[in-house]
Amino acid sequence: MKPRNGGNLEIRGVYLSQEASWLSFNRRVLLQSLRPDFPLLERLRFLAIWASNTDEFFAARVSRAFLEERGGSSYLALLQEALSQAQEASRLYREFLRELTGLGIHVLEPAQLTKAEQQYFGAYLAEEVAPRTDLIPPEAIADLSPRALYFAAGDGLMHHLIRLPDSLPRLLPIPGREGGYVRLGALIRMRSDLFVPTKSQLFEFRLIRLAQLERSRADWDELPEALEARLDGRVSHLELEEDFPQLWAESIRVALGLEPEEVFRLLPPLDLRFVNTMVEGGPASARFAANKPLRVKGFLADPWGYLDRRDLVLYHPFEDYGQVEAFALAAAQDPKVEAIRATLYRIGQGNGIAEALIQAAKAGKDVAVLLEGRARFDELINLEWSLRFQGAGVRVLPLPSKKVHAKALYVRREGQGYVHLGTGNYNPLNGRFYTDLSLFTAEPRIGQDVATFFGALERNHVPHLAVLRTAEGIREALCEAIEGEAHKKGEIILKCNHLTDPTILAALEKALHKGARVHLIVRSTLTVLWPGVKVRSLVGRYLEHARIAAFKNKGKWRVWAGSADLMPRNLDHRYELFFPIQSSRAKSKVLELLRAQLNDDRNTFLLGPEGQEALWGGKHDGQKLP
């Protein structure tokens, strides 16, 4: 890059679509299956993660391209990349089967079973599987449901479709054979007589539909109906086993309204998510050793006194997420606590914070939650929690016009506010497998802002905050900070999952033109890549999830963290929260974390206009507590 115009740099970015960038990320996930430094079963786990991600791609992330660019060259390129990954995953699955024999794990074909084992599984199919399957006439193809495994059956013509619901296990342990498994699909082929009127060869297929609520503004009383409407989404993807009869395949494709390129022919088995069964059932020696998270001395004994003296920043999962749940429980059990507020997005089935809120309400405290009923794919679980909350006396606040994706827990104790702010969901599973930041503070201005945030949304008002930033204010604050670094001594570090906002990208490019050093750690999607700018994507044991922004500010670093990825969706259509890391001790800790990840050479891909390069096997592991 050569200076021009008084020292500015010539920098021309290469633009990618969000969908293409996300598929590149999913290829990075698939490549984890090849890591020589990972235990065998952990490598296999990434094959299941890739499969789940691919379903999500065709259910949600491809929707814009599907609806707006279908048939165009960029859309066809997406399909070609997705097909290439699916073919590679199928090849890797077969390699894994050979490697797994060294662990005593075998996936047998029905013909390899003993007569007694075949009889047992015949009884299992008759008692447990056949009653839960559906026999569907081919005329009903257009109404097939997503993610279920189907078999087409017939003699010359396609006469029947067999539907296996997604709830049925796809891989079954063989009684008496430690490490022995057999696929459900293979067993059904063996005993097709239990499922169709006449003996017939069976062929496997499955499909994915776009999963979007017809009414994104649905409130709690409208949500059940909106969820039902989601079942009618258009089919975006069809997978057929490689030998599927051509005439049958064409009739299914036409009935589903798909183009030929939207149909993938793959070697069975389809839907590799089932390999998780072998991961969980395999020997512990072939998985990662359990992480032993640290707890901060003295914090939980008296969180209020601790926070009166200093702020606390935790880096999960290396520092125990259970401390967040314990903080909520302490608030529920403390008679001096008057009120609790919480934002809840993806909280799962079992949740210590939610249970603490219920306990607090039953103790007579003023408890209210912003429970996001529109969290995609978690709507039904959150609907269940809303009923539990209301039954216990927790006020479930009306859903505002924007999704609430902020992560905030507010406790009022003897008139003083104590706050937890985070970059990740209040979910105990995420707390063990996602890297996230937690800030605990009793700083009065932050406490007042969080109280204002809850109060404004409860009254259906737009929050106006003094210290924190929400909605479009996050973009404004970041762009102002980036502009302040747009000079030769400027330095910017941004860490997020997704960076696609055009305004922020333009501000970064302007800063690059002015000579600033820009460091980007972007896990998944980035829609501009600049020559000479090292963009890092960390994909390792843990899912990188923290969102952090740091600005050199003439040597006095300013550091922010928050719930928002830097996308128009998050900044324009959601209530997020970005918060400053103010104490010098906490700020130093976060900067040390960022520098460790900028030096990582064990979990990193370097992204550039020419492609992506893996850095594995080095000495610097950025996925640990600095």
Side-chain angles (χ1 to χ4, degrees):
M1 297 183 294
K2 297 181 179 180
R4 67 166 193 173
N5 297 337
N8 289 353
L9 299 175
E10 176 68 46
I11 296 176
R12 295 181 180 178
V14 175
Y15 290 81
L16 304 172
S17 71
Q18 288 188 40
E19 297 84 6
S21 183
W22 195 90
L23 278 177
S24 293
F25 161 68
N26 207 28
R27 183 172 284 278
R28 297 195 288 276
V29 171
L30 183 60
L31 287 172
Q32 301 303 300
S33 298
L34 302 175
R35 281 187 63 158
D37 58 330
F38 275 14
L40 175 58
L41 293 179
E42 299 295 349
R43 292 195 288 114
L44 182 61
R45 190 194 303 275
F46 274 99
L47 195 60
I49 295 171
W50 170 87
S52 180
N53 284 355
T54 301
D55 279 2
E56 182 190 347
F57 176 78
F58 284 109
R61 298 186 183 274
V62 80
S63 58
R64 186 201 62 82
F66 180 86
L67 297 172
E68 298 176 9
E69 300 175 358
R70 199 172 178 208
S73 59
S74 60
Y75 177 71
L76 295 177
L78 293 176
L79 295 178
Q80 185 56 47
E81 170 61 15
L83 176 60
S84 172
Q85 292 183 25
Q87 291 169 336
E88 176 67 4
S90 182
R91 183 189 69 79
L92 287 171
Y93 169 72
R94 281 158 179 77
E95 286 191 6
F96 272 117
L97 291 184
R98 290 190 288 272
E99 289 188 74
L100 288 167
T101 60
L103 297 179
I105 298 175
H106 306 270
V107 179
L108 303 182
E109 292 299 320
Q112 297 174 283
L113 301 176
T114 66
K115 183 176 180 180
E117 290 168 341
Q118 290 181 354
Q119 290 174 334
Y120 164 77
F121 281 114
Y124 175 85
L125 294 175
E127 292 291 320
E128 298 292 337
V129 179
R132 297 164 64 184
T133 59
D134 299 314
L135 195 60
I136 302 169
E139 298 79 37
I141 285 174
D143 297 324
L144 298 184
S145 56
R147 288 188 172 87
L149 186 64
Y150 286 93
F151 287 95
D155 183 12
L157 296 177
M158 182 170 57
H159 295 299
H160 304 285
L161 304 175
I162 304 167
R163 175 184 180 272
L164 278 70
D166 200 32
S167 59
L168 283 171
R170 301 294 165 81
L171 193 65
L172 303 169
I174 303 171
R177 288 206 198 203
E178 185 176 356
Y181 296 92
V182 63
R183 288 193 305 109
L184 179 62
L187 290 171
I188 289 174
R189 290 177 192 269
M190 176 189 74
R191 291 298 308 271
S192 63
D193 58 298
L194 294 172
F195 300 92
V196 291
T198 58
K199 190 168 182 61
S200 168
Q201 192 172 2
L202 304 182
F203 298 92
E204 189 174 329
F205 72 101
R206 66 192 295 266
L207 58 92
I208 304 293
R209 293 181 181 270
L210 297 180
Q212 292 180 310
L213 296 183
E214 293 294 323
R215 291 173 292 170
S216 61
R217 177 58 188 88
D219 211 330
W220 288 108
D221 56 346
E222 302 170 320
L223 189 59
E225 184 179 342
L227 287 173
E228 291 180 18
R230 184 167 68 182
L231 299 177
D232 297 326
R234 293 173 63 180
V235 175
S236 59
H237 177 62
L238 174 65
E239 295 175 6
L240 306 172
E241 70 167 87
E242 199 169 56
D243 294 332
F244 207 95
Q246 181 59 34
L247 182 62
W248 297 8
E250 189 66 7
S251 64
I252 293 175
R253 180 188 71 79
V254 171
L256 296 178
L258 293 173
E259 297 300 322
E261 297 83 2
E262 292 165 334
V263 180
F264 290 3
R265 282 183 175 268
L266 301 167
L267 285 171
L270 307 180
D271 188 6
L272 295 175
R273 293 178 298 163
F274 72 83
V275 300
N276 256 335
T277 301
M278 289 181 281
V279 174
E280 299 306 325
S285 60
R287 297 195 298 267
F288 288 128
N291 178 44
K292 296 179 180 179
L294 302 176
R295 289 201 163 200
V296 176
K297 185 177 180 180
F299 173 56
L300 295 182
D302 178 17
W304 327 116
Y306 189 101
L307 297 178
D308 286 339
R309 296 188 297 274
R310 67 178 72 89
D311 289 354
L312 174 64
V313 165
L314 301 180
Y315 180 36
H316 310 301
F318 312 102
E319 292 175 299
D320 191 6
Y321 171 80
Q323 294 168 103
V324 181
E325 295 183 320
F327 176 76
L329 184 60
Q333 296 176 343
D334 191 327
K336 295 181 180 180
V337 168
E338 303 128 7
I340 307 176
R341 300 287 183 271
T343 58
L344 302 175
Y345 192 73
R346 299 190 190 279
I347 62 173
Q349 291 283 4
N351 190 284
I353 290 177
E355 296 292 352
L357 295 173
I358 288 174
Q359 183 176 335
K362 289 182 176 179
K365 301 184 190 302
D366 175 16
V367 183
V369 298
L370 279 161
L371 176 64
E372 183 48 73
R374 300 157 296 187
R376 189 168 59 197
F377 306 127
D378 280 59
E379 299 96 343
L380 187 60
I381 291 175
N382 286 357
L383 185 60
E384 178 184 339
W385 274 111
S386 75
L387 297 176
R388 292 188 61 187
F389 282 142
Q390 292 175 60
V394 176
R395 287 187 294 122
V396 178
L397 302 180
L399 297 176
S401 57
K402 296 181 178 182
K403 274 188 179 181
V404 179
H405 193 250
K407 320 301 180 192
L409 182 62
Y410 174 79
V411 176
R412 190 176 75 238
R413 183 180 186 269
E414 295 187 312
Q416 182 174 344
Y418 296 86
V419 171
H420 171 270
L421 295 166
T423 64
N425 299 310
Y426 289 124
N427 184 308
L429 289 178
N430 293 2
R432 292 203 299 271
F433 300 113
Y434 290 14
T435 66
D436 272 306
L437 287 182
S438 278
L439 170 68
F440 295 90
T441 183
E443 203 281 325
R445 295 177 302 163
I446 291 180
Q448 182 57 53
D449 264 4
V450 176
T452 299
F453 178 78
F454 280 103
L457 295 190
E458 184 167 0
R459 297 188 300 272
N460 200 25
H461 293 170
V462 175
H464 296 287
L465 309 178
V467 180
L468 306 186
R469 295 292 182 268
T470 189
E472 297 91 340
I474 297 173
R475 180 190 290 116
E476 294 168 3
L478 291 179
C479 286
E480 180 182 349
I482 292 169
E483 185 177 347
E485 300 297 319
H487 52 84
K488 290 182 179 179
K489 294 185 178 180
E491 190 169 358
I492 300 162
I493 307 173
L494 291 182
K495 173 179 170 58
C496 53
N497 304 329
H498 309 280
L499 174 50
T500 67
D501 184 75
T503 304
I504 294 175
L505 289 167
L508 288 171
E509 186 160 303
K510 183 178 179 180
L512 286 167
H513 276 292
K514 296 290 186 179
R517 297 174 63 195
V518 176
H519 311 278
L520 300 179
I521 307 170
V522 182
R523 187 196 73 204
S524 300
T525 53
L526 174 64
T527 49
V528 183
L529 293 166
W530 296 282
V533 177
K534 286 187 177 180
V535 179
R536 308 174 77 86
S537 172
L538 271 67
V539 185
R541 174 177 181 176
Y542 302 106
L543 182 74
E544 289 294 324
H545 198 247
R547 291 89 164 194
I548 309 170
F551 306 94
K552 192 172 184 180
N553 191 33
K554 298 180 180 179
K556 297 180 180 179
W557 283 89
R558 290 181 296 168
V559 179
W560 292 74
S563 60
D565 281 309
L566 306 184
M567 310 171 73
R569 176 195 70 184
N570 295 63
L571 304 179
D572 295 328
H573 305 295
R574 292 183 175 188
Y575 284 120
E576 308 271 10
L577 281 175
F578 245 59
F579 49 90
I581 307 295
Q582 296 179 319
S583 82
S584 57
R585 178 187 296 184
K587 190 185 302 183
S588 295
K589 181 175 181 175
V590 176
L591 286 170
E592 193 176 353
L593 156 66
L594 291 173
R595 292 186 182 110
Q597 297 211 333
L598 290 173
N599 288 324
D600 179 277
D601 55 10
R602 292 180 62 177
N603 310 286
T604 293
F605 288 84
L606 294 180
L607 312 184
E610 65 286 347
Q612 52 192 22
E613 174 193 358
L615 298 185
W616 290 345
K619 297 180 180 179
H620 304 288
D621 185 356
Q623 283 206 325
K624 65 180 183 180
L625 192 64

